[in-house]
Amino acid sequence: MQEHQDTAARGSARDRAGDQRSGAAVRAQGERLPRTGEAERRGVRRGGARDRAGVAEAARFARYALSVPSAESQLALANASRIAGGRVLVVGFDTDVARALSPATVFYQSWRAYRSSADVDDVHFGPWFLSEQPYDMALVEMPKETERLRMALSMARASLVAGGRLVLIGRNDAGIKSAGRHLSEMTVFTDEIVGRALEVHSFPGVFAHGRIDEGTRRLLALLQVDSGARALDVGCGNGVIGGWLRKGGVSCDSCDVDALAVEAASRTAASAFASDVYSDVAGTYDVIVTNPPFHAGVRTTSAVAIRMIEGAPAHLESGGEMWLVANRFLDYLTPLREAFARVDVVHEDNKFRVYRTRR
């Protein structure tokens, strides 16, 4: 009995030591957390290994990921006493920054970040921030996408009093030293897609700004949806898919986690709402159509696409279909076959695959 107790004690000590080493590594190298995406990509290719690798890696990092602020947020927190004072607008950052600078006004373009900040008093969500009362300072977390940076700087500058301060916090390797030159605005253009002319409203930082994505063109050239059907464009971006379907007499809703995408899609496709994949989707549809994202900042990940696939059957009518286009190197056959009764690859070339599935 004593031997078992000693062994358990030694094992527990090893576990604690391992936890401390892992925690220190993650805290010191917060940028390593996104490596979970590598496990996700391997999982898509290797079928059942996806679940085992994903669960194991999630278990390893989950208790640290939520408690480790980004490098940008850590810098803001370290300088909170210098930033506080007057009316402050905070754009982005972890909720710890918002709490530290309370009663600052906090603005998010991410529906996920907004929903996680329910305990912050003055928090807003939208494609941009407008206020009748200007601010003495705008504190902006530098976006990874150049076009989104341009829009964030333009919005923040417009929110300031004359002589107000705009503070941008970002990484040297992300180009912060040259960030001040970036300014951009919305683009509106008309393009013909498979015989239908569509006016597209496009915002900087939203996928395929100022153009129609090649994968979307492939998908729409093959898509078969009956007039009068109810469709959902999930992860809609600028709303091209939803707008094109509406031109063909299909009743289509569009949703996205990003406020700029929702605003653009509302103008392009007429009906769009904020949703973290299916978090705010009500009811069922005859068809779900998507060109899912596979980037989180500069990192490649299949996590969002897999959530779209796994959650789709619950939002489809019996016999309903999901159409999906993806880059060829992202093999979604395994998760699609796990979620649907029938899966067909209706098109494949050296760059894209188009999938058609049936519940």
Side-chain angles (χ1 to χ4, degrees), residues 78-306:
N79 290 276
S81 61
R82 298 173 59 188
I83 296 169
R87 283 173 50 80
V88 179
L89 171 64
V90 178
V91 181
F93 295 100
D94 300 326
T95 52
D96 288 344
V97 176
R99 297 186 189 100
L101 296 178
S102 181
T105 298
V106 184
F107 171 71
Y108 291 114
Q109 290 176 331
S110 166
W111 184 244
R112 186 182 303 116
Y114 172 74
R115 293 183 70 191
S116 69
S117 58
D119 60 333
V120 177
D121 290 335
D122 190 9
V123 60
H124 303 263
F125 167 81
W128 50 74
F129 183 78
L130 297 174
S131 174
E132 294 181 358
Q133 297 295 323
Y135 289 82
D136 302 301
M137 174 185 288
L139 178 66
V140 180
E141 180 180 23
M142 182 174 174
K144 294 181 175 63
E145 303 90 345
T146 299
E147 291 176 335
R148 190 175 289 271
L149 167 63
R150 291 171 180 164
M151 195 159 191
L153 291 176
S154 180
M155 178 190 69
R157 188 176 65 175
S159 302
L160 293 172
V161 298
R165 290 193 297 161
L166 195 164
V167 179
L168 179 69
I169 296 182
R171 301 172 61 90
N172 286 331
D173 58 7
I176 191 170
K177 293 181 180 179
S178 60
R181 71 175 189 268
H182 294 300
L183 289 172
S184 186
E185 298 178 352
M186 181 185 73
T187 298
V188 181
F189 64 96
T190 300
D191 202 332
E192 184 169 312
I193 312 167
V194 198
R196 299 175 190 173
L198 183 66
E199 183 179 270
V200 180
H201 294 250
S202 175
F203 285 106
V206 177
F207 174 66
H209 174 51
R211 62 186 174 87
I212 305 296
D213 173 64
E214 188 179 350
T216 297
R217 287 188 187 275
R218 296 275 209 291
L219 173 63
L220 295 181
L222 296 161
L223 185 59
Q224 300 174 25
V225 182
D226 293 334
S227 177
R230 294 189 68 244
L232 174 68
D233 174 13
V234 60
C236 62
N238 288 323
V240 170
I241 292 174
W244 187 87
L245 284 170
R246 281 178 168 266
K247 287 276 187 178
V250 176
S251 173
C252 184
D253 293 330
S254 303
C255 67
D256 202 289
V257 71
D258 180 66
L260 284 173
V262 172
E263 179 64 24
S266 295
R267 301 181 184 205
T268 301
S271 176
F273 59 94
S275 181
D276 184 3
V277 187
Y278 301 109
S279 67
D280 292 74
V281 174
T284 55
Y285 294 85
D286 301 306
V287 62
I288 293 174
V289 188
T290 185
N291 180 355
F294 62 94
H295 284 112
V298 297
R299 180 171 60 97
T300 300
T301 175
S302 58
V304 175
I306 290 175

Side-chain angles (χ1 to χ4, degrees), residues 36-53:
T36 53
E38 297 173 13
E40 292 157 359
R41 294 198 302 278
R42 290 195 300 270
V44 171
R45 290 194 295 269
R46 290 161 54 186
R50 170 172 56 87
D51 295 333
R52 294 191 295 274

Side-chain angles (χ1 to χ4, degrees), residues 43-44 46-52 306 309-311 313 332-343 357-358:
V44 171
R46 290 161 54 186
R50 170 172 56 87
D51 295 333
R52 294 191 295 274
I306 290 175
I309 292 167
E310 293 176 343
Y332 291 131
L333 270 175
T334 296
L336 284 168
R337 285 171 174 164
E338 290 174 354
F340 290 93
R342 177 174 176 176
V343 179
T357 72
R358 177 166 297 211

